[in-house]
């Protein structure tokens, strides 16, 4: 008998793409699932439309927009499964996806498994085949294979330092031990911070290429929106402050404010991207010592 898998997704005023995800789940041959849809920042009650796409969907409605972390945490607290599958609402799942993720959990030290992610509108192009470690000087990392045509060059499963928030499966016991995502982030970097906590708790994070998902990417925030710019900037600093100490943190802060900050200010000024410039400046100057 297959274990129950709780599929958790967060909707923020995107009925159409969320319905497309629910329809793709409904068509799966793997049926030992509960689907939890967190309707974040709900304005209109779209439950009838969502039930048309997946009749058994469990709805959690929040009038407040709790962000990516807060929305997923609501779903995690309600989930009953032995495994939790967090997927962005702007993804679509194909048959065999869940089974291929589950088979990687044969070792008890494996706590999180991520699929290969390719772009929905260019399905031959890779978005994620694992992450590199965070560079302690720049506070950045890279998605392995991003932008490359998929020739099978990343078809070996292996441990990675970080999962991708668009699609990740976890054991229930991991969340019980570590807790949910930090809601201090609201949007972006929260899954990287979560992975730091998960690895410190003794679990491994794996990339499993036999499972593949298609991602429409940045439907909610826009590819280069001021909102995205603000949170990517702010949370890059927040992540480093939460996860690095001493010389490494000092080196990052010196590099950021003496090199990265002025370079990006000049780049955005030259491009005339004034809303992004304001968002970048606000995100960079976020100094809240309570984090």
């Amino acid at each position: 008998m297959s274990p129950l898998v709780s599929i958790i997704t967060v909707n923020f005023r995107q009925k159409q793409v969320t319905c497309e995800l629910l329809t793709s789940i409904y068509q799966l041959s793997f049926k030992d699932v509960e689907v939890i849809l967190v309707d974040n920042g709900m304005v209109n009650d779209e439950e009838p439309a969502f039930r048309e796409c997946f009749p058994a969907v469990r709805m959690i409605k929040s009038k407040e927009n709790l962000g990516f972390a807060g929305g997923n945490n609501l779903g995690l607290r309600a989930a009953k499964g032995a495994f939790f599958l967090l997927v962005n609402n702007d993804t679509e799942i194909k048959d065999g996806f869940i089974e291929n993720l589950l088979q990687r959990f044969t070792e008890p030290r494996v706590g999180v498994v991520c699929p290969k992610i390719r772009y929905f509108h260019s399905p031959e192009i890779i978005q994620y085949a694992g992450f590199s470690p965070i560079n302690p000087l720049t506070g950045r990392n890279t998605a392995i294979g991003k932008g490359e045509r998929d020739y099978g060059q990343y078809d070996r499963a292996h441990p990675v330092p970080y999962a991708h928030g668009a699609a990740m499966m976890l054991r229930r016991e991991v969340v019980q031990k570590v807790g949910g995502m930090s809601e201090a982030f609201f949007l972006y970097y929260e899954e990287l911070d979560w992975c730091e906590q998960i690895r410190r708790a003794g679990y491994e994070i794996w990339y499993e290429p036999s499972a593949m998902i298609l991602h429409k990417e940045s439907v909610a925030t826009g590819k280069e929106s001021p909102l995205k710019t603000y949170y990517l900037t702010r949370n890059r600093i927040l992540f480093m402050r939460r996860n690095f100490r001493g010389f490494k943190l000092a080196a990052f802060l010196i590099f950021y404010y003496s090199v990265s900050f002025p370079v990006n200010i000049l780049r955005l000024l030259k491009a005339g991207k004034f809303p992004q410039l304001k968002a970048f400046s606000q995100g960079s100057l976020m100094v809240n010592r309570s984090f």
Side-chain angles (χ1 to χ4, degrees):
M1 184 176 176
S2 300
L4 179 66
V5 175
S6 299
I7 303 176
I8 300 166
T9 193
V10 178
N11 173 68
F12 181 66
R13 303 172 192 176
Q14 296 172 301
K15 180 175 69 174
Q16 182 61 39
V17 292
T18 301
C19 278
E20 289 163 2
L21 167 64
L22 293 175
T23 299
S24 76
I25 297 170
Y26 189 70
Q27 293 170 348
L28 297 177
S29 58
F30 187 95
K31 298 300 182 184
D32 291 321
V33 300
E34 64 166 356
V35 177
I36 298 172
L37 171 58
V38 179
D39 202 358
N40 219 1
M42 185 186 72
V43 174
N44 301 312
D45 188 354
E46 305 288 3
E47 183 171 348
F50 294 137
R51 290 201 179 279
E52 272 190 42
C53 303
F54 196 97
V57 66
R58 291 180 61 193
M59 294 289 303
I60 299 176
K61 301 172 185 178
S62 173
K63 291 187 177 181
E64 181 184 357
N65 179 10
L66 301 173
F68 182 81
N72 275 294
N73 285 345
L74 275 183
L76 289 169
R77 288 193 288 270
K80 299 176 180 177
F83 292 89
F84 303 150
L85 174 59
L86 276 58
V87 290
N88 274 18
N89 69 318
D90 60 346
T91 59
E92 292 192 22
I93 298 175
K94 303 297 183 183
D95 227 15
F97 176 77
I98 293 176
E99 297 92 325
N100 288 338
L101 289 174
L102 283 172
Q103 58 89 25
R104 185 52 56 188
F105 286 97
T106 53
E107 292 289 335
R109 67 179 181 273
V110 177
V112 182
V113 179
C114 269
K116 180 188 290 183
I117 303 174
R118 299 202 303 221
Y119 291 102
F120 182 86
H121 297 293
S122 300
E124 74 285 359
I125 303 299
I126 297 169
Q127 181 183 10
Y128 169 89
F131 272 133
S132 68
I134 290 283
N135 183 310
L137 184 63
T138 66
R140 294 187 184 279
N141 67 342
T142 56
I144 296 166
K146 185 172 183 178
E148 296 181 26
R149 189 175 294 273
D150 191 356
Y151 295 110
Q153 66 272 40
Y154 300 110
D155 280 358
R156 181 183 66 83
H158 58 89
V160 292
Y162 301 106
H164 197 297
M168 56 193 299
M169 183 179 280
L170 307 90
R171 294 182 191 272
R172 168 182 280 277
E173 69 179 67
V174 171
V175 180
Q176 290 174 331
K177 188 171 183 178
V178 175
M181 299 183 202
S182 169
E183 297 181 20
F185 288 90
F186 190 77
L187 189 67
Y188 299 119
Y189 272 87
E190 59 279 282
E191 79 272 29
L192 302 184
D193 179 80
W194 204 23
C195 288
E196 289 281 352
Q197 317 311 316
I198 290 169
R199 286 190 287 108
R200 285 172 193 153
Y203 294 100
E204 292 182 355
I205 300 164
W206 276 70
Y207 160 69
E208 177 50 66
S210 68
M212 195 272 291
I213 195 168
L214 298 175
H215 187 201
K216 298 166 187 176
E217 195 195 24
S218 293
V219 169
T221 59
K223 289 189 177 180
E224 198 180 357
S225 69
L227 178 72
K228 185 173 182 178
T229 298
Y230 171 77
Y231 278 110
L232 281 173
T233 303
R234 169 192 183 268
N235 290 350
R236 176 183 171 192
I237 301 167
L238 177 56
F239 173 88
M240 296 299 290
R241 287 172 56 183
R242 281 173 55 92
N243 293 289
F244 288 81
R245 296 288 183 271
F247 173 77
K248 286 184 177 180
L249 178 58
F252 164 74
L253 292 172
I254 291 167
F255 174 83
Y256 184 84
Y257 288 107
S258 65
V259 177
S260 185
F261 181 76
V263 165
N264 279 283
I265 290 290
L266 290 172
R267 177 182 65 83
L268 292 168
L269 275 172
K270 186 177 180 181
K273 295 181 178 180
F274 298 111
Q276 284 86 354
L277 175 64
K278 180 180 179 182
F280 175 75
S281 300
Q282 289 175 335
S284 296
L285 300 174
M286 183 280 302
V287 185
N288 188 335
R289 299 298 179 186
S290 66
F291 289 132

